């Protein structure tokens, strides 16, 4: 009997191991707020993978669904534009800008707005210019330090 009790003994809920096990046991699957076409579904999954699952709220899922649909429409419009071209000719021979090109530009602006609203832009994820400036500043400091070392007769 003593063995049986030792085997059934559970780890306290406050232990780190139990917390890790609980987190690994939970398999969160986030789904779009409405049915998407297959390409938009793939885009939705890519969007969801851009930040941890625990950081997605209900409204974020709505925005991610809209963003996935917009990106799928942008891809489709760009494929059509590749065939039709950006400039069309009227029956009278007057060249005009393809209305799909204007529509595609509007869709791209909407997509950027959704990306910013979700906090997924490069600047918001700290992938933009700021890290580059920091890296460049550190490189400049290293260059200046190496020049100081070369100028110092005791260190050279």
């Amino acid at each position: 009997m003593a063995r049986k009790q030792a085997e059934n003994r559970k780890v306290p809920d406050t232990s780190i191991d139990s917390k890790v096990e609980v987190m690994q046991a939970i398999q969160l699957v986030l789904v779009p707020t409405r049915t998407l076409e297959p390409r938009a579904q793939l885009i939705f999954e890519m969007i969801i993978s851009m930040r941890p699952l625990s950081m997605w709220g209900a409204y974020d899922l709505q925005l991610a669904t809209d963003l996935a649909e917009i990106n799928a429409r942008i891809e489709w419009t760009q494929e059509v534009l590749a065939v039709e071209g950006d400039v069309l000719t009227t029956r009278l021979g007057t060249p005009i800008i393809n209305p799909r090109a204007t529509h595609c530009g509007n869709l791209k602006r909407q997509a950027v707005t959704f990306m910013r609203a979700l906090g997924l832009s490069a600047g918001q994820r700290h992938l933009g210019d700021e890290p580059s400036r920091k890296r460049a500043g550190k490189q400049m400091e290293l260059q200046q330090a190496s020049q100081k070392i070369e100028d110092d007769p005791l260190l050279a």
Side-chain angles (χ1 to χ4, degrees):
M1 275 236 182
R3 278 189 184 170
K4 186 96 172 151
Q5 288 176 351
E7 289 175 1
N8 289 337
R9 188 174 144 198
K10 292 185 177 181
V11 179
D13 288 335
T14 58
S15 74
I16 294 174
D17 292 333
S18 68
K19 300 278 186 201
V20 170
E21 287 175 13
V22 168
M23 288 177 16
Q24 289 174 344
I26 297 174
Q27 295 293 326
L28 291 177
V29 177
L30 300 178
V31 293
T33 56
R34 59 187 168 278
T35 305
L36 298 174
E37 64 181 37
R39 179 61 187 150
Q41 180 66 36
L42 289 174
I43 294 170
F44 177 81
E45 291 169 7
M46 286 187 281
I47 292 167
I48 292 299
S49 69
M50 293 177 77
R51 68 182 195 199
L53 296 179
S54 62
M55 292 181 65
W56 290 95
Y59 186 67
D60 292 339
L61 289 176
Q62 175 65 38
L63 292 178
T65 303
D66 292 341
L67 179 59
E69 284 183 334
I70 287 173
N71 281 327
R73 280 193 271 158
I74 288 170
E75 287 180 3
W76 180 83
T77 305
Q78 287 176 334
E79 289 174 7
V80 172
L81 283 172
V83 174
E84 291 180 353
D86 290 337
V87 178
L88 299 176
T89 306
T90 63
R91 282 184 263 157
L92 300 175
T94 307
I96 61 168
I97 295 174
N98 190 336
R100 292 183 201 266
T102 305
H103 179 64
C104 188
N106 290 338
L107 288 174
K108 287 179 180 180
R109 282 189 286 283
Q110 287 178 359
V112 168
T113 302
F114 282 122
M115 290 288 285
R116 288 182 181 154
L118 288 170
L120 300 176
S121 68
Q124 290 169 320
R125 292 186 299 147
H126 307 293
L127 300 174
D129 294 335
E130 187 176 340
S132 299
R133 279 189 244 128
K134 285 181 180 178
R135 191 177 326 115
K138 288 181 181 182
Q139 286 177 344
M140 192 69 140
E141 288 175 16
L142 288 173
Q143 287 175 353
Q144 289 173 352
S146 66
Q147 287 175 353
K148 287 179 184 179
I149 290 172
E150 289 174 2
D151 294 341
D152 192 353
L154 294 174
L155 294 176

